[in-house]
Each structure stands twice: as C-alpha cells, then as structure tokens.
Amino acid sequence: PIGCGDCLAAGLTVALAEGRAECDAIRFGMAAAAENASQLLPARIDRARIESLLRSVRSSSRAEHAEAAETRA
C-alpha cells in the first residue's frame, strides 16, 4: 500500500520526539505502517488504532533472532 514507508518513518520520528526508547520507537513506526496498510486511502491513520496495534508488534535483536533460529535447527 501507498505510504507505509512514510508512515513508518513518521511514527518512528514522533515516538523518538516523545522520548520513547529506540526499540519502542521502531515498534511504534511499524504499528503506524500497519495501520496505514489497513486503510483504503494512504496516510489516514489513527493514533488510538496505532496504540492498539502496538500491543501486537514484537521486536528482537539480531542476536535473539539468531539464537531462536539455532534452537529451531
């Protein structure tokens, strides 16, 4: 969908400006992008919906990702 990358960047910027930690800011940006993808028209995102989506956005470090892959192998 159109504008998801822009919404990710905007969400990341807003979260950092609000003082959120980098990892949390990335998650907020991802939630903003997901909210944008759910809309018919681009950039019609809703802050409350982003906060709701934020609960389901997970992140992990490269080390955590590699460890999980080794565990599955």
Side-chain angles (χ1 to χ4, degrees), residues 8-9 15-16 20 22 27-32 35-36 40 48-49 53 55 57 59 61-62 67 69-70:
L8 187 151
L16 289 172
R20 296 185 191 222
E22 288 179 3
R27 290 177 54 245
F28 190 88
M30 293 300 294
E35 166 63 0
N36 183 69
L40 179 61
R49 180 78 177 125
L53 288 169
R55 295 184 207 125
V57 177
S59 64
S61 68
R62 287 184 184 187
E67 183 179 305
E70 287 177 12

Side-chain angles (χ1 to χ4, degrees), residues 6 10-13 24 26 36 38 48 50 54 62 69:
D6 292 336
L12 175 66
T13 302
D24 290 336
I26 291 168
N36 183 69
S38 74
I50 293 170
L54 188 58
R62 287 184 184 187

